[in-house]
Amino acid sequence: MERTNLRKIAVLDKHTIDKIAAGEVVERPSSVVKELVENSIDAGATAVTVEIADGGKKLIRITDNGGGIEASQVPTAFLSHATSKIEKPDDLNSIHTLGFRGEALAAISSVSRLDIFSRERGALSGAKLHLEGGVPETVEDAGCPEGTSVIVRDLFYNTPARLKFMKRDSAEATAIAGLVGHLALSHPEVSFKLIKDGTQTLLTPGDGALRSAIYASLGREFTLSLLEVKGADGDMGVTGFGTSPIASRGTRGMQTFFVNGRLVKSQLLTAALEEAYSNRMMKGKFPGCVLLVELPRDMVDVNVHPAKTIVKFVGEKRVFDLVYHAVMAALDKREEDERPQPKPASQVQNPRGDFFANMTSQQYRESQRAAEK
Ligand code: ADP
Ligand code: MG
């Protein structure tokens, strides 16, 4: 067959490389938010504010109170493969931060108009830098607070093909809200604020308690239905909450799993959870959960997908059993707690009065419903 491509072989220039990388790292506005918030968390921030306009297409602003970037290093952070998180191949085996490829800032800046303000902790002043399609202007002094603020405007303005794939503003905003909610759950020690087109839609306290983060991001009703899950097997552990069987739902939408702090989708974890509920739940109903699984790093392969949401386990059976038994134990304990304990006659006073005083009509209806199942 005749060769159709007669071009010479050449190494790609920096901007082409960054734009290709951008296609992998930056798929839509929520991927920008994810990368930037993970940088904030990696920088030790205890408070992170995410502001978006028009679903993040017009504006994404991430402000943190983390360690900041030293002024002379600000341009370096935007070079591809520039990272402060690993130095040598060995470090890949002991990564404790969320990002490490050193690609995000380079990629995001190559497909947007970006401003960064950063002041290192303890420094007298900060620095600001503007990049247009990845091309940096000069760094200037800036009187900004300690920490970092990254402002991304007009995402994909120079990649029209990508722009066309964006969903409606409301769909992109929903994806961002979901993402920030999940980040808040995996980092209860960080206070997250989300401001959507000028309106604050999420604020978590950052008090370190998972239950408070769940309350703030998933709501009161979900929080009231929770049973605590806790289990361990050697160096593997699982903590978090599952919903009470009577609070089951019609979809798997309220199942959230983290493995070593990362939000993951895993059929194995879903199956372990649902297997534990199987005898107590109607067909077509699904439990909700927020479960945090901690595994030795060599049991987890998170490098299977650039967005790192799909995860593979070494020793699948052990992981399944860990989650299954921990959830099962939480469900058994709840039933144990709820079984009426016979009291010595001397302590029984006005049982009927007790009964009604301790139950709201809602709880009463729910317990009736549970009894009917
Ligand atoms: P990576 O996170 O993989 O190292 P990035 O391109 O996301 O790569 O960031 C490059 C570097 O810029 C980081 O390693 C870090 O040193 C610095 N940096 C980025 N964002 C922040 C931030 N919010 N606070 C402090 N330093 C940051
Ligand atoms: Mg990063």
Side-chain angles (χ1 to χ4, degrees):
M1 213 169 83
E2 207 182 334
R3 285 192 55 192
T4 50
N5 186 350
L6 296 173
R7 284 192 196 173
K8 278 201 190 122
I9 297 172
V11 174
L12 296 172
D13 62 71
K14 177 195 180 306
H15 288 302
T16 313
I17 294 170
D18 286 350
K19 269 199 184 177
I20 293 171
E24 291 166 3
V25 179
V26 190
E27 219 182 326
R28 53 193 295 198
S30 61
S31 21
V32 173
V33 174
K34 176 174 186 291
E35 293 292 337
L36 296 179
V37 171
E38 289 189 345
N39 279 348
S40 297
I41 295 169
D42 285 347
T46 57
V48 178
T49 300
V50 177
E51 284 173 79
I52 58 166
D54 296 354
K57 294 179 207 167
K58 188 168 154 208
L59 172 100
I60 294 169
R61 185 195 336 250
I62 313 286
T63 305
D64 70 50
N65 65 351
I69 307 174
E70 203 250 311
S72 70
Q73 293 244 289
V74 170
T76 317
F78 289 86
L79 300 177
S80 36
H81 307 298
T83 177
S84 57
K85 297 165 194 174
I86 52 174
E87 287 180 359
K88 47 189 193 304
D90 268 2
D91 296 345
L92 278 173
N93 301 324
S94 53
I95 294 166
H96 299 293
T97 54
L98 295 165
F100 56 83
R101 290 156 174 245
E103 276 175 347
L105 289 183
I108 294 164
S109 65
S110 77
V111 290
S112 68
R113 302 182 226 273
L114 188 149
D115 289 283
I116 184 166
F117 295 80
S118 193
R119 180 165 147 214
E120 211 183 6
R121 216 168 273 161
L124 286 177
S125 71
K128 68 171 184 197
L129 177 65
H130 178 79
L131 299 98
E132 190 97 11
V135 182
E137 294 180 354
T138 47
V139 181
E140 288 171 42
D141 271 359
C144 48
E146 286 181 343
T148 303
S149 179
V150 177
I151 302 145
V152 176
R153 288 195 173 85
D154 306 328
L155 185 64
F156 302 128
Y157 80 96
N158 55 354
T159 51
R162 196 40 79 166
L163 198 56
K164 256 193 263 164
F165 279 105
M166 291 301 98
K167 303 217 171 84
R168 280 174 297 116
D169 291 0
S170 59
E172 297 297 346
T174 302
I176 292 171
L179 169 81
V180 176
H182 286 138
L183 286 162
L185 294 178
S186 56
H187 296 278
E189 75 286 3
V190 178
S191 168
F192 284 91
K193 191 189 282 184
L194 176 61
I195 300 170
K196 207 165 89 180
D197 297 312
T199 307
Q200 180 181 304
T201 58
L202 173 75
L203 176 64
T204 66
D207 62 2
L210 177 59
R211 200 184 265 274
S212 328
I214 293 177
Y215 190 101
S217 63
L218 299 177
R220 179 183 145 85
E221 201 197 333
F222 184 78
T223 311
L224 288 177
S225 76
L226 296 180
L227 314 172
E228 189 167 5
V229 175
K230 214 176 171 125
D233 173 9
D235 45 9
M236 310 187 302
V238 57
T239 55
F241 298 91
T243 49
S244 120
I246 50 170
S248 63
R249 318 155 186 265
T251 73
R252 297 198 165 95
M254 293 299 267
Q255 298 181 358
T256 309
F257 295 98
F258 296 96
V259 172
N260 294 346
R262 269 178 208 282
L263 178 70
V264 299
K265 283 201 170 64
S266 157
Q267 287 184 354
L268 179 103
L269 296 178
T270 302
L273 173 82
E274 291 180 3
E275 186 64 26
Y277 279 84
S278 62
N279 287 338
R280 320 180 198 230
M281 202 160 267
M282 287 194 300
K283 276 222 153 45
K285 291 282 181 187
F286 301 97
C289 72
V290 178
L291 289 179
L292 290 76
V293 180
E294 292 292 329
L295 301 173
R297 269 158 216 283
D298 58 8
M299 282 183 70
V300 190
D301 182 4
V302 288
N303 227 348
V304 287
H305 187 270
K308 301 185 204 97
T309 48
I310 296 164
V311 71
K312 279 190 194 156
F313 302 108
V314 178
E316 296 194 326
K317 174 88 170 74
R318 290 185 60 212
V319 177
F320 182 98
D321 286 348
L322 169 75
V323 172
Y324 170 77
H325 288 300
V327 174
M328 198 67 160
L331 291 167
D332 286 346
K333 178 170 182 304
R334 184 189 89 109
E335 273 162 24
E336 189 59 35
D337 291 350
E338 286 185 352
R339 193 164 299 144
Q341 303 290 327
K343 281 185 187 169
S346 63
Q347 284 184 26
V348 180
Q349 300 164 346
N350 186 8
R352 277 185 62 85
D354 251 349
F355 178 73
F356 288 111
N358 289 335
M359 260 193 186
T360 64
S361 56
Q362 168 78 8
Q363 284 168 327
Y364 176 73
R365 275 197 304 273
E366 277 172 2
S367 71
Q368 287 295 101
R369 231 177 286 144
E372 281 161 17
K373 277 184 192 162

